[in-house]
Amino acid sequence: MTSTSLVSPAEPVESTGAPARLRWALADGWTLTRRALAHWARRPEQVVMGLLFPVMLVLMFGYLFGGQMAVPGGGSYREFLMPGMFAMTMVFGVETTFAAVATDASRSITDRFRSLPMASSAVVAGRGAADMLHSVLALTVMAVTGLAVGWRWHEGAGRALAAAGLLLLLRFALLWLGVYLGLVARSPELLVAVQVLVWPIGFLSNAFVDPATMPGWLGAIAEWNPLSATIGATRELFGTPGWDGGSWAAEHAVPMAVLWPLLLAAVFFPLSVRRYRRLSR
Amino acid sequence: MTDHAVLAQGVRKRYGGGTTALDGLDLAVAPGTVHGLLGPNGAGKTTCVRILATLLTLDGGRAEVAGFDVLREPARVRRRIGLVGQHAAVDEVLSGRQNLEMFGRLHHLPTRAARRRADELLERFGLRDAGRRPAGEYSGGMRRRLDLAAGMIMAPAVLFLDEPTTGLDPRGRSEVWETVRALAEDGTTVLLTTQYLEEADRLAGRISVVDRGRVIAEGTPDELKSGLGADRVDVVLRDPAALPAAADLLSGATGARVETDPDTRRLSAPVTDRVAALIEVVRALDGAGIDAEDIALRRPTLDEVFLHLTADRAEEAA
């Protein structure tokens, strides 16, 4: 240890005015996004495993189960499956968000962040931006996988991009669910619970099979599952095989795929903010 | 504005469950001093630090840090404090250097200044060689030093250390002590909580003894020790069998209650007239033919002060 005195590298700056505050909020958020990116750089194997897991599912469902599956209205099961797997990939993202938020909340590093003169939104904003980046990457990997197993978009690039937009909108809504659950749990040990719960949510939708084949009441739940709305809408926009709908929810998949995520975000965003504030009581 | 670095007046805090953590705590810390908050587990030390560091809101009273009210101007307070909590508050995946750079950026230093500051702090806290390794691989003492460095990014006016050596081995502990002393020499105001009396005695210029959410005594370590009353005479015997007889003699010579510790064969009693009492004790022991290994006059330890103070409170409450 040397004996040089510690001199402050800068005078405390008071950021006043809305423009300055917004600028710092963005800068702070970016600093924390970079923190998440640095985590990936230090643990690339985790990122790669996370990206390859849904690819494995595509191969499993597409080639092992696929032979048995009858697509409603006819067509390739793998083409039917891909929109479901895109949406499932977005749902798996909840695990990433949950694990990161719960880990931070269980450690004193959250206290340090909260004792710094940074924007209080930055912790969540930085996390959110990193997770969205991750999901874009995951979606790209899945699209390449889809192309390799015979999935195509049949309605033009514009509608395909709109479908991607709906998927990311779903991911954005689930971001707040993940943040909320992470702040409630405050311990990454509950990650297993989240990982398990993802499955019934995924299967209780139109991701893998036509809800019409399920017992009546279960089929109804599956029809109204927010996941089904996004999947139905993306099937429509990609022009991949689906079914003739029949239910009101299936007929209006595209507006529902916009409304459901907005509703989820409208519920879980304020809940998350309240939870975060409650840390100071 | 006040001329105190930390000022708390009648601070109250009650948690949701109904437990009263702080019950009218008063505290005044002069700039450039090291102040110890000493108390048992659950006394309210951590709650106090968390309120002063703007992590918790207070329910009653008021508190100022570096001249700013913690409730009304938390942002101004945050620009002037550093916090080192009970557990290392660093990112364990990132390297020491990445951690310090990140915290520098969050203090709104420009990229290059943050990088320079990170290097400076690594050097200063003896972590230069470990700078590129993930913080999760550091030893306990190193991690705590990284934590201290992170608290010193802006060379804050006030540094809060909440039990900075809990869970450290003796080597790690002395490393942290050395660091805190050096920071204090530089003029940083340090508010330190600890349940180790030795730590408070070694580091703090003034000590507030906290019990059940209030300050029950305050002063320099010496003042607290004299407050207990007198100096003490310690006698260590060779033969433990002679302890009862020696205790009677000691009690007669000093006229006070004698504490006996059979494990160390030690007797201890308070004395008023130091030298006269010492001569009296030596004579009495010699007359009875009791062989002593050691006889000494000493100041009371903070342990004794502490037990004395908290015992009084316990009796009051009973």
Side-chain angles (χ1 to χ4, degrees), chain B residues 72-105:
Chain B
R72 282 201 299 265
E73 302 186 277
R76 285 199 156 83
V77 171
R78 283 179 202 144
R79 278 187 203 101
R80 289 164 176 84
I81 59 167
L83 171 67
V84 179
Q86 282 176 31
H87 310 282
V90 294
D91 187 314
E92 301 193 350
V93 178
L94 301 184
S95 71
R97 196 162 183 273
Q98 282 176 315
N99 265 291
L100 294 178
E101 235 184 279
M102 173 176 73
F103 292 126
R105 297 287 294 143

mmCIF file of all heavy atoms in Angstrom, chain B residues 72-105:
data_model
loop_
_atom_site.group_PDB
_atom_site.id
_atom_site.type_symbol
_atom_site.label_atom_id
_atom_site.label_comp_id
_atom_site.label_asym_id
_atom_site.label_seq_id
_atom_site.Cartn_x
_atom_site.Cartn_y
_atom_site.Cartn_z
ATOM 1 N N ARG B 72 -34.514 14.906 2.531
ATOM 2 C CA ARG B 72 -34.876 15.935 1.546
ATOM 3 C C ARG B 72 -33.923 15.977 0.364
ATOM 4 O O ARG B 72 -34.322 16.293 -0.745
ATOM 5 C CB ARG B 72 -34.942 17.304 2.229
ATOM 6 C CG ARG B 72 -36.227 17.520 3.032
ATOM 7 C CD ARG B 72 -36.480 19.003 3.236
ATOM 8 N NE ARG B 72 -35.384 19.612 3.976
ATOM 9 C CZ ARG B 72 -35.412 19.775 5.297
ATOM 10 N NH1 ARG B 72 -36.454 19.396 5.998
ATOM 11 N NH2 ARG B 72 -34.397 20.316 5.922
ATOM 12 N N GLU B 73 -32.655 15.708 0.602
ATOM 13 C CA GLU B 73 -31.678 15.819 -0.490
ATOM 14 C C GLU B 73 -30.798 14.574 -0.586
ATOM 15 O O GLU B 73 -29.567 14.675 -0.508
ATOM 16 C CB GLU B 73 -30.816 17.068 -0.292
ATOM 17 C CG GLU B 73 -31.652 18.322 -0.235
ATOM 18 C CD GLU B 73 -30.801 19.572 -0.190
ATOM 19 O OE1 GLU B 73 -30.362 19.944 0.900
ATOM 20 O OE2 GLU B 73 -30.566 20.144 -1.260
ATOM 21 N N PRO B 74 -31.439 13.423 -0.787
ATOM 22 C CA PRO B 74 -30.638 12.179 -0.832
ATOM 23 C C PRO B 74 -29.598 12.194 -1.952
ATOM 24 O O PRO B 74 -28.501 11.668 -1.779
ATOM 25 C CB PRO B 74 -31.694 11.094 -1.061
ATOM 26 C CG PRO B 74 -32.901 11.783 -1.580
ATOM 27 C CD PRO B 74 -32.874 13.166 -1.004
ATOM 28 N N ALA B 75 -29.925 12.817 -3.088
ATOM 29 C CA ALA B 75 -28.976 12.816 -4.205
ATOM 30 C C ALA B 75 -27.693 13.551 -3.818
ATOM 31 O O ALA B 75 -26.588 13.118 -4.149
ATOM 32 C CB ALA B 75 -29.614 13.461 -5.431
ATOM 33 N N ARG B 76 -27.838 14.689 -3.093
ATOM 34 C CA ARG B 76 -26.646 15.440 -2.685
ATOM 35 C C ARG B 76 -25.837 14.639 -1.669
ATOM 36 O O ARG B 76 -24.603 14.682 -1.677
ATOM 37 C CB ARG B 76 -27.049 16.788 -2.095
ATOM 38 C CG ARG B 76 -27.480 17.784 -3.139
ATOM 39 C CD ARG B 76 -27.418 19.207 -2.585
ATOM 40 N NE ARG B 76 -27.285 20.165 -3.653
ATOM 41 C CZ ARG B 76 -28.317 20.615 -4.352
ATOM 42 N NH1 ARG B 76 -29.533 20.181 -4.108
ATOM 43 N NH2 ARG B 76 -28.130 21.486 -5.326
ATOM 44 N N VAL B 77 -26.542 13.942 -0.787
ATOM 45 C CA VAL B 77 -25.835 13.112 0.192
ATOM 46 C C VAL B 77 -25.041 12.030 -0.533
ATOM 47 O O VAL B 77 -23.864 11.814 -0.266
ATOM 48 C CB VAL B 77 -26.833 12.481 1.200
ATOM 49 C CG1 VAL B 77 -26.135 11.445 2.064
ATOM 50 C CG2 VAL B 77 -27.466 13.564 2.069
ATOM 51 N N ARG B 78 -25.705 11.376 -1.517
ATOM 52 C CA ARG B 78 -25.051 10.253 -2.213
ATOM 53 C C ARG B 78 -23.789 10.670 -2.942
ATOM 54 O O ARG B 78 -22.892 9.857 -3.146
ATOM 55 C CB ARG B 78 -26.022 9.636 -3.226
ATOM 56 C CG ARG B 78 -27.050 8.762 -2.561
ATOM 57 C CD ARG B 78 -28.015 8.179 -3.541
ATOM 58 N NE ARG B 78 -29.241 7.817 -2.823
ATOM 59 C CZ ARG B 78 -30.458 7.930 -3.312
ATOM 60 N NH1 ARG B 78 -30.635 8.388 -4.544
ATOM 61 N NH2 ARG B 78 -31.502 7.603 -2.602
ATOM 62 N N ARG B 79 -23.733 11.933 -3.355
ATOM 63 C CA ARG B 79 -22.523 12.383 -4.053
ATOM 64 C C ARG B 79 -21.367 12.571 -3.097
ATOM 65 O O ARG B 79 -20.251 12.801 -3.528
ATOM 66 C CB ARG B 79 -22.809 13.694 -4.780
ATOM 67 C CG ARG B 79 -23.475 13.430 -6.092
ATOM 68 C CD ARG B 79 -23.617 14.684 -6.932
ATOM 69 N NE ARG B 79 -24.704 14.408 -7.837
ATOM 70 C CZ ARG B 79 -25.939 14.853 -7.684
ATOM 71 N NH1 ARG B 79 -26.229 15.694 -6.720
ATOM 72 N NH2 ARG B 79 -26.868 14.493 -8.519
ATOM 73 N N ARG B 80 -21.630 12.527 -1.800
ATOM 74 C CA ARG B 80 -20.583 12.874 -0.834
ATOM 75 C C ARG B 80 -20.252 11.743 0.132
ATOM 76 O O ARG B 80 -19.522 11.938 1.093
ATOM 77 C CB ARG B 80 -21.030 14.111 -0.051
ATOM 78 C CG ARG B 80 -21.008 15.354 -0.931
ATOM 79 C CD ARG B 80 -21.795 16.498 -0.331
ATOM 80 N NE ARG B 80 -21.657 17.684 -1.168
ATOM 81 C CZ ARG B 80 -22.416 17.898 -2.245
ATOM 82 N NH1 ARG B 80 -23.343 17.055 -2.599
ATOM 83 N NH2 ARG B 80 -22.223 18.985 -2.978
ATOM 84 N N ILE B 81 -20.828 10.559 -0.122
ATOM 85 C CA ILE B 81 -20.571 9.461 0.813
ATOM 86 C C ILE B 81 -19.983 8.247 0.091
ATOM 87 O O ILE B 81 -20.102 8.101 -1.121
ATOM 88 C CB ILE B 81 -21.859 9.007 1.538
ATOM 89 C CG1 ILE B 81 -22.901 8.542 0.523
ATOM 90 C CG2 ILE B 81 -22.391 10.106 2.421
ATOM 91 C CD1 ILE B 81 -24.060 7.784 1.140
ATOM 92 N N GLY B 82 -19.345 7.422 0.883
ATOM 93 C CA GLY B 82 -18.966 6.100 0.410
ATOM 94 C C GLY B 82 -19.542 5.113 1.418
ATOM 95 O O GLY B 82 -19.657 5.437 2.596
ATOM 96 N N LEU B 83 -19.929 3.933 0.932
ATOM 97 C CA LEU B 83 -20.536 2.958 1.834
ATOM 98 C C LEU B 83 -19.846 1.622 1.657
ATOM 99 O O LEU B 83 -19.702 1.129 0.540
ATOM 100 C CB LEU B 83 -22.028 2.819 1.530
ATOM 101 C CG LEU B 83 -22.757 1.676 2.239
ATOM 102 C CD1 LEU B 83 -22.827 1.928 3.739
ATOM 103 C CD2 LEU B 83 -24.153 1.497 1.673
ATOM 104 N N VAL B 84 -19.400 1.064 2.746
ATOM 105 C CA VAL B 84 -18.871 -0.294 2.710
ATOM 106 C C VAL B 84 -19.667 -1.099 3.722
ATOM 107 O O VAL B 84 -19.600 -0.837 4.917
ATOM 108 C CB VAL B 84 -17.367 -0.306 3.045
ATOM 109 C CG1 VAL B 84 -16.840 -1.723 3.029
ATOM 110 C CG2 VAL B 84 -16.604 0.555 2.050
ATOM 111 N N GLY B 85 -20.448 -2.020 3.209
ATOM 112 C CA GLY B 85 -21.373 -2.753 4.070
ATOM 113 C C GLY B 85 -20.760 -3.998 4.655
ATOM 114 O O GLY B 85 -19.560 -4.244 4.538
ATOM 115 N N GLN B 86 -21.604 -4.809 5.284
ATOM 116 C CA GLN B 86 -21.109 -6.005 5.961
ATOM 117 C C GLN B 86 -20.625 -7.067 4.985
ATOM 118 O O GLN B 86 -19.785 -7.883 5.308
ATOM 119 C CB GLN B 86 -22.223 -6.600 6.813
ATOM 120 C CG GLN B 86 -22.418 -5.857 8.098
ATOM 121 C CD GLN B 86 -23.583 -6.392 8.894
ATOM 122 O OE1 GLN B 86 -23.895 -7.559 8.839
ATOM 123 N NE2 GLN B 86 -24.221 -5.516 9.624
ATOM 124 N N HIS B 87 -21.244 -7.085 3.802
ATOM 125 C CA HIS B 87 -20.839 -8.066 2.799
ATOM 126 C C HIS B 87 -20.271 -7.304 1.617
ATOM 127 O O HIS B 87 -20.760 -6.228 1.292
ATOM 128 C CB HIS B 87 -22.041 -8.892 2.368
ATOM 129 C CG HIS B 87 -22.791 -9.447 3.533
ATOM 130 N ND1 HIS B 87 -22.347 -10.544 4.223
ATOM 131 C CD2 HIS B 87 -23.915 -9.023 4.158
ATOM 132 C CE1 HIS B 87 -23.189 -10.791 5.215
ATOM 133 N NE2 HIS B 87 -24.148 -9.887 5.204
ATOM 134 N N ALA B 88 -19.256 -7.872 1.000
ATOM 135 C CA ALA B 88 -18.605 -7.185 -0.104
ATOM 136 C C ALA B 88 -19.635 -6.871 -1.190
ATOM 137 O O ALA B 88 -20.319 -7.760 -1.687
ATOM 138 C CB ALA B 88 -17.499 -8.049 -0.669
ATOM 139 N N ALA B 89 -19.753 -5.585 -1.508
ATOM 140 C CA ALA B 89 -20.751 -5.158 -2.483
ATOM 141 C C ALA B 89 -20.075 -4.899 -3.818
ATOM 142 O O ALA B 89 -20.049 -3.789 -4.323
ATOM 143 C CB ALA B 89 -21.480 -3.908 -1.985
ATOM 144 N N VAL B 90 -19.497 -5.939 -4.379
ATOM 145 C CA VAL B 90 -18.855 -5.818 -5.681
ATOM 146 C C VAL B 90 -19.403 -6.912 -6.589
ATOM 147 O O VAL B 90 -19.995 -7.879 -6.126
ATOM 148 C CB VAL B 90 -17.314 -5.940 -5.580
ATOM 149 C CG1 VAL B 90 -16.745 -4.769 -4.805
ATOM 150 C CG2 VAL B 90 -16.919 -7.253 -4.924
ATOM 151 N N ASP B 91 -19.209 -6.725 -7.873
ATOM 152 C CA ASP B 91 -19.644 -7.719 -8.843
ATOM 153 C C ASP B 91 -18.578 -8.809 -8.899
ATOM 154 O O ASP B 91 -17.432 -8.543 -9.259
ATOM 155 C CB ASP B 91 -19.817 -7.050 -10.211
ATOM 156 C CG ASP B 91 -20.428 -8.007 -11.217
ATOM 157 O OD1 ASP B 91 -19.976 -9.165 -11.286
ATOM 158 O OD2 ASP B 91 -21.347 -7.599 -11.926
ATOM 159 N N GLU B 92 -18.955 -10.020 -8.522
ATOM 160 C CA GLU B 92 -17.940 -11.066 -8.372
ATOM 161 C C GLU B 92 -17.498 -11.665 -9.700
ATOM 162 O O GLU B 92 -16.471 -12.323 -9.772
ATOM 163 C CB GLU B 92 -18.467 -12.151 -7.435
ATOM 164 C CG GLU B 92 -18.797 -11.565 -6.085
ATOM 165 C CD GLU B 92 -19.034 -12.586 -5.010
ATOM 166 O OE1 GLU B 92 -19.124 -13.777 -5.344
ATOM 167 O OE2 GLU B 92 -19.119 -12.172 -3.854
ATOM 168 N N VAL B 93 -18.275 -11.446 -10.738
ATOM 169 C CA VAL B 93 -17.902 -11.970 -12.050
ATOM 170 C C VAL B 93 -16.868 -11.048 -12.698
ATOM 171 O O VAL B 93 -15.938 -11.500 -13.358
ATOM 172 C CB VAL B 93 -19.146 -12.113 -12.953
ATOM 173 C CG1 VAL B 93 -18.754 -12.619 -14.329
ATOM 174 C CG2 VAL B 93 -20.165 -13.038 -12.309
ATOM 175 N N LEU B 94 -17.042 -9.745 -12.492
ATOM 176 C CA LEU B 94 -16.134 -8.782 -13.111
ATOM 177 C C LEU B 94 -14.804 -8.744 -12.361
ATOM 178 O O LEU B 94 -14.723 -9.128 -11.192
ATOM 179 C CB LEU B 94 -16.761 -7.392 -13.095
ATOM 180 C CG LEU B 94 -18.095 -7.234 -13.816
ATOM 181 C CD1 LEU B 94 -18.525 -5.768 -13.790
ATOM 182 C CD2 LEU B 94 -18.002 -7.726 -15.248
ATOM 183 N N SER B 95 -13.767 -8.266 -13.027
ATOM 184 C CA SER B 95 -12.467 -8.106 -12.373
ATOM 185 C C SER B 95 -12.518 -6.896 -11.448
ATOM 186 O O SER B 95 -13.434 -6.075 -11.530
ATOM 187 C CB SER B 95 -11.385 -7.900 -13.422
ATOM 188 O OG SER B 95 -11.530 -6.622 -14.012
ATOM 189 N N GLY B 96 -11.516 -6.813 -10.568
ATOM 190 C CA GLY B 96 -11.431 -5.671 -9.675
ATOM 191 C C GLY B 96 -11.433 -4.356 -10.445
ATOM 192 O O GLY B 96 -12.105 -3.395 -10.081
ATOM 193 N N ARG B 97 -10.692 -4.358 -11.541
ATOM 194 C CA ARG B 97 -10.573 -3.147 -12.332
ATOM 195 C C ARG B 97 -11.908 -2.788 -12.992
ATOM 196 O O ARG B 97 -12.341 -1.636 -12.978
ATOM 197 C CB ARG B 97 -9.512 -3.392 -13.403
ATOM 198 C CG ARG B 97 -8.999 -2.150 -14.056
ATOM 199 C CD ARG B 97 -7.669 -2.443 -14.752
ATOM 200 N NE ARG B 97 -7.146 -1.237 -15.321
ATOM 201 C CZ ARG B 97 -7.469 -0.806 -16.526
ATOM 202 N NH1 ARG B 97 -8.319 -1.485 -17.262
ATOM 203 N NH2 ARG B 97 -6.962 0.324 -16.988
ATOM 204 N N GLN B 98 -12.578 -3.816 -13.560
ATOM 205 C CA GLN B 98 -13.878 -3.563 -14.193
ATOM 206 C C GLN B 98 -14.888 -3.030 -13.179
ATOM 207 O O GLN B 98 -15.682 -2.146 -13.491
ATOM 208 C CB GLN B 98 -14.422 -4.858 -14.811
ATOM 209 C CG GLN B 98 -13.778 -5.209 -16.146
ATOM 210 C CD GLN B 98 -14.285 -6.555 -16.663
ATOM 211 O OE1 GLN B 98 -14.367 -7.521 -15.919
ATOM 212 N NE2 GLN B 98 -14.637 -6.614 -17.933
ATOM 213 N N ASN B 99 -14.822 -3.579 -11.957
ATOM 214 C CA ASN B 99 -15.708 -3.088 -10.903
ATOM 215 C C ASN B 99 -15.487 -1.601 -10.648
ATOM 216 O O ASN B 99 -16.438 -0.825 -10.647
ATOM 217 C CB ASN B 99 -15.441 -3.857 -9.599
ATOM 218 C CG ASN B 99 -16.385 -5.033 -9.424
ATOM 219 O OD1 ASN B 99 -17.583 -4.842 -9.208
ATOM 220 N ND2 ASN B 99 -15.859 -6.231 -9.531
ATOM 221 N N LEU B 100 -14.236 -1.234 -10.428
ATOM 222 C CA LEU B 100 -13.943 0.153 -10.062
ATOM 223 C C LEU B 100 -14.279 1.094 -11.209
ATOM 224 O O LEU B 100 -14.760 2.207 -11.006
ATOM 225 C CB LEU B 100 -12.473 0.294 -9.656
ATOM 226 C CG LEU B 100 -12.108 -0.449 -8.368
ATOM 227 C CD1 LEU B 100 -10.621 -0.298 -8.073
ATOM 228 C CD2 LEU B 100 -12.933 0.060 -7.194
ATOM 229 N N GLU B 101 -14.024 0.622 -12.437
ATOM 230 C CA GLU B 101 -14.361 1.450 -13.594
ATOM 231 C C GLU B 101 -15.865 1.666 -13.674
ATOM 232 O O GLU B 101 -16.332 2.779 -13.924
ATOM 233 C CB GLU B 101 -13.888 0.726 -14.858
ATOM 234 C CG GLU B 101 -12.973 1.557 -15.710
ATOM 235 C CD GLU B 101 -12.616 0.813 -16.983
ATOM 236 O OE1 GLU B 101 -11.710 -0.026 -16.891
ATOM 237 O OE2 GLU B 101 -13.246 1.061 -18.019
ATOM 238 N N MET B 102 -16.611 0.584 -13.455
ATOM 239 C CA MET B 102 -18.066 0.694 -13.511
ATOM 240 C C MET B 102 -18.578 1.678 -12.445
ATOM 241 O O MET B 102 -19.385 2.561 -12.753
ATOM 242 C CB MET B 102 -18.705 -0.681 -13.296
ATOM 243 C CG MET B 102 -20.218 -0.636 -13.159
ATOM 244 S SD MET B 102 -20.943 -2.272 -13.032
ATOM 245 C CE MET B 102 -20.468 -2.756 -11.378
ATOM 246 N N PHE B 103 -18.071 1.527 -11.212
ATOM 247 C CA PHE B 103 -18.548 2.426 -10.167
ATOM 248 C C PHE B 103 -18.121 3.869 -10.462
ATOM 249 O O PHE B 103 -18.852 4.808 -10.168
ATOM 250 C CB PHE B 103 -18.061 1.962 -8.792
ATOM 251 C CG PHE B 103 -18.694 0.667 -8.351
ATOM 252 C CD1 PHE B 103 -17.921 -0.411 -7.974
ATOM 253 C CD2 PHE B 103 -20.079 0.528 -8.347
ATOM 254 C CE1 PHE B 103 -18.523 -1.607 -7.572
ATOM 255 C CE2 PHE B 103 -20.685 -0.659 -7.956
ATOM 256 C CZ PHE B 103 -19.892 -1.734 -7.570
ATOM 257 N N GLY B 104 -16.941 4.030 -11.043
ATOM 258 C CA GLY B 104 -16.507 5.367 -11.441
ATOM 259 C C GLY B 104 -17.453 5.985 -12.459
ATOM 260 O O GLY B 104 -17.815 7.151 -12.365
ATOM 261 N N ARG B 105 -17.859 5.171 -13.463
ATOM 262 C CA ARG B 105 -18.805 5.650 -14.471
ATOM 263 C C ARG B 105 -20.128 6.018 -13.818
ATOM 264 O O ARG B 105 -20.768 6.985 -14.198
ATOM 265 C CB ARG B 105 -19.044 4.574 -15.553
ATOM 266 C CG ARG B 105 -17.830 4.210 -16.356
ATOM 267 C CD ARG B 105 -17.459 5.318 -17.320
ATOM 268 N NE ARG B 105 -18.482 5.498 -18.349
ATOM 269 C CZ ARG B 105 -18.838 6.679 -18.831
ATOM 270 N NH1 ARG B 105 -18.273 7.774 -18.392
ATOM 271 N NH2 ARG B 105 -19.742 6.769 -19.772
#
